[in-house]
Amino acid sequence: MPDEPLSIPSPEPGRPSWESYFMEITQLVAKRSTCTRRSVGAIIVKDKRILSTGYNGAPSGVRHCLDIGCMREQLNIASGERHELCRGIHAEQNAIIQAALHGVSIRGATLFCTNLPCSICAKMIINAGIQSIVYLSGYADQMSLDLLEESGVSVVQSEFGSEEGRV
């Protein structure tokens, strides 16, 4: 049974809606990013509980781009292209990996993310059984949207910040 819609505003004045609550946490997670180009955060939620979090950066035990520089910038690779030429793991991938590492099922969950997932992440999201995505900002990858739509994963751009005046 799917969760109730998370975009319903909270009936209590001054209390954030569930969507705002989770998007704010997602933005906090993004602050852990070690990528020099874009800080991305992701959380996986089911039944209004956070199951896993992830941010983009180098794998555990590998030097961070913050420390050694960005390979993609050095090679002049545009955003959204040649994902394999990067030391980092995307936030969505890290959230899925953390759930798997700790034996947490994410089937039927919602992924909150600061950016629309790329096509590589979209394929992982589909196969992980995540049923919906709520994101803040777009990403230059039409294939991602096409794959998610075809698979039946719900994709919604968040209006987080509109009721509180924050973005």
Side-chain angles (χ1 to χ4, degrees), residues 16-37:
S17 68
W18 285 107
E19 180 179 313
S20 294
Y21 171 72
F22 290 127
M23 289 311 292
E24 194 164 342
I25 293 170
T26 302
Q27 289 183 308
L28 181 62
V29 170
K31 291 182 179 183
R32 291 282 307 153
S33 171
T34 61
C35 178
T36 60
R37 294 178 90 178

Side-chain angles (χ1 to χ4, degrees), residues 30-96:
K31 291 182 179 183
R32 291 282 307 153
S33 171
T34 61
C35 178
T36 60
R37 294 178 90 178
R38 181 190 313 244
S39 295
V40 180
I43 66 171
I44 300 174
V45 174
K46 188 171 183 181
D47 299 325
K48 298 179 185 162
R49 302 289 181 257
I50 297 171
L51 303 177
S52 182
T53 68
Y55 54 87
N56 58 326
S60 297
V62 174
R63 292 177 294 165
H64 298 291
C65 297
L66 285 175
D67 301 325
I68 64 168
C70 175
M71 174 193 311
R72 294 176 61 78
E73 282 183 5
Q74 293 162 4
L75 297 173
N76 291 319
I77 299 170
S79 180
E81 297 178 10
R82 305 290 313 268
H83 296 288
E84 74 279 7
L85 295 177
C86 180
R87 295 176 63 79
I89 297 174
H90 289 188
E92 306 92 325
Q93 295 168 347
N94 266 328
I96 292 168

